[in-house]
Amino acid sequence: MSWWRSLRARLVLSHVLVALVSGLVTVVVLRLVALQRWDRAMGMGAGNGARHGAGGDGAPGGPAGMAGFRAEFVDSVDRAVLVGVLVGLVVAIVLGVVAARRTARPLEQLRTATRQLSLGRYAVHVPRPGTTELADLADDVRQLGERLEATEARRARLIGEVAHEMRTPLTVTRGYAEAMLDGVVPADEDGLGRVVEQTRRLERLAEDLSSLSRAEEGRLEVRVVYADLAETVGSAVEAVQARAAGQGVRVRVAGPASLQVPHDPDRIAQVVTNLLTNALRASADGEEVRVVVTGPRDGDGTGPRDDAGTGAVATVEVLDQGVGLRPGEEEAVFERFYRGERGDEGTAGEDGGSGIGLTIARALVRAHGGELVAASDGPGRGARFVATLPLDGSPAAQPEG
């Protein structure tokens, strides 16, 4: 029973049905059209013969002779149609089998490839069929395998990097704790402060991984209130000033002194911190990072608007003079686990991040109804990250305080 449900059986059956229908149509046309015209023609001929006195019942041209000739003709036509239908069925079955094989073979190859993908074997060979639709499907399966392979490679790298990030603070914490227990290092403010610092690094790592998980599951929560966006950005800049000074990088802020925008101050501060950390990591000694905040009444009074032009937005731009972005990285940098030359520092640590900071930042901005995009003039020419926040507010947004 399952064979009749297969694509091959249905293709063969469709050819057979076409042949049968063609034969049936031929019979109907002959019976209803050709023979009727024959009868009319013979009737007219018989009438003319009668007027001229030609033929009788037993004569070859009489009614009895014509009836016998008609019956013989009809019988010959039925036999010819039957033979034609049988030959057509044989040809239809042969052509149906050939078409079914040519159609089913690439589908079986695609099925084999998808099974390999489900088993985690992403480097699959997917032949490209000649049919346009199947060729497009094969290309999609091939691209899916490439993307899954790249994602798994980044995931494996993430595991190693997270393990390294955890190992460093754990090793330092254990070392200080054992030294204090052995009396080698006094349990004073300095020693305990180092332990607390490493513990905070672990907390930041755990929080980033948790945020990434919630972002991928669509469970990021934001508490939108009407608050001063300039103050939010300023607090984020202050949090990274010490690191910037240590690298010899200047951080400048430009924008209005106050700008009331519906947003979650903690979440947007996290976004700006991630963007600034990423910019600092891409910058060298003596370079500058600029943070520009714009609102609806900046410039010519109209202010920036969203891409659709449906409403005014506030923007936060982070511009650096660092390594820049390669062509195609404008979107790739926001993919989870991606880590290019910029060294996206999503998780705090001295040796670099794990490539989830920008992923989290974009998810947080989108949770506000905005967007986060990147642009660059090319490698070595810096990069520009722009976060847009809509100003139409939120039903849950209330004045802060």
Side-chain angles (χ1 to χ4, degrees):
M1 182 64 67
S2 60
W3 184 84
W4 290 102
R5 297 180 180 179
S6 66
L7 178 62
R8 291 187 177 187
R10 294 187 177 186
L11 285 174
V12 174
L13 183 60
S14 65
H15 282 71
V16 172
L17 290 176
V18 169
L20 289 176
V21 171
S22 300
L24 180 61
V25 170
T26 302
V27 171
V28 171
V29 170
L30 286 174
R31 291 285 186 175
L32 297 181
V33 179
L35 290 180
Q36 286 184 2
R37 295 189 64 182
W38 168 278
D39 291 338
R40 285 197 299 269
M42 291 300 99
M44 292 176 61
N48 292 333
R51 285 193 297 269
H52 290 285
D57 290 341
M66 295 303 298
F69 181 75
R70 182 183 185 281
E72 184 178 352
F73 175 77
V74 170
D75 184 61
S76 300
V77 169
D78 289 343
R79 290 180 182 179
V81 171
L82 178 61
V83 172
V85 170
L86 292 177
V87 173
L89 285 176
V90 174
V91 174
I93 292 174
V94 173
L95 294 178
V97 171
V98 173
R101 286 183 177 180
R102 295 191 62 179
T103 303
R105 184 178 303 161
L107 291 177
E108 290 177 354
Q109 293 172 340
L110 291 173
R111 181 184 180 187
T112 301
T114 54
R115 284 181 175 178
Q116 295 296 315
L117 291 177
S118 67
L119 296 175
R121 301 166 187 167
Y122 304 119
V124 294
H125 173 66
V126 184
R128 200 171 192 274
T131 307
T132 301
E133 292 79 4
L134 293 178
D136 293 340
L137 179 59
D139 292 340
D140 292 340
V141 172
R142 189 183 303 108
Q143 293 176 6
L144 174 63
E146 293 172 354
R147 291 183 65 86
L148 287 175
E149 185 177 18
T151 299
E152 286 302 313
R154 291 196 295 269
R155 191 185 300 274
R157 185 176 64 185
L158 170 69
I159 293 174
E161 292 175 344
V162 169
H164 175 76
E165 290 288 340
M166 294 180 65
R167 187 182 301 113
T168 301
L170 287 173
T171 300
V172 173
T173 302
R174 179 180 177 181
Y176 271 98
E178 290 179 347
M180 291 178 187
L181 289 174
D182 295 338
V184 178
V185 175
D188 55 10
E189 182 178 353
D190 181 64
L192 293 175
R194 292 179 179 273
V195 172
V196 171
E197 178 184 356
Q198 300 304 318
T199 303
R200 287 176 178 170
R201 287 182 59 183
L202 286 175
E203 289 178 349
R204 289 194 296 268
L205 174 61
E207 176 60 27
D208 277 345
L209 293 175
S210 177
S211 297
L212 176 63
S213 176
R214 292 195 300 272
E216 292 186 338
E217 295 175 3
R219 296 188 298 107
L220 274 177
E221 297 180 358
V222 294
R223 180 176 175 270
V224 178
V225 296
Y226 282 94
D228 190 348
L229 181 62
E231 181 180 347
T232 300
V233 172
S235 63
V237 172
E238 290 179 5
V240 300
Q241 282 289 10
R243 173 174 178 173
Q247 291 184 216
V249 178
R250 299 183 304 276
V251 179
R252 293 174 49 196
V253 182
S258 178
L259 179 61
Q260 293 295 317
V261 173
H263 69 285
D264 185 330
D266 292 335
R267 291 301 196 181
I268 296 302
Q270 182 181 356
V271 170
V272 178
T273 300
N274 280 351
L275 294 178
L276 285 172
T277 304
N278 182 67
L280 290 175
R281 188 155 195 84
S283 302
D285 184 11
E287 293 183 340
E288 180 180 89
V289 173
R290 290 193 300 129
V291 182
V292 181
V293 180
T294 56
R297 289 177 295 277
D298 295 340
D300 59 2
T302 59
R305 303 181 72 83
D306 59 12
D307 293 337
T310 57
V313 296
T315 64
V316 179
E317 302 180 47
V318 177
L319 307 94
D320 64 67
Q321 301 170 331
V323 297
L325 298 173
R326 296 187 297 267
E329 276 194 315
E330 293 87 354
E331 279 297 317
V333 292
F334 295 107
E335 294 181 4
R336 61 186 187 277
F337 315 136
Y338 182 84
R339 194 174 170 192
E341 292 183 3
R342 298 181 64 84
D344 167 27
E345 187 172 272
T347 52
E350 297 299 324
D351 298 321
S354 53
I356 61 177
L358 292 179
T359 306
I360 296 171
R362 171 175 270 188
L364 288 172
V365 174
R366 287 179 172 177
H368 284 75
E371 186 57 277
L372 176 61
V373 297
S376 175
D377 292 332
R381 305 184 67 178
R384 174 174 173 259
F385 290 81
V386 183
T388 59
L389 298 173
L391 296 180
D392 54 359
S394 167
Q398 300 294 333
E400 190 174 33

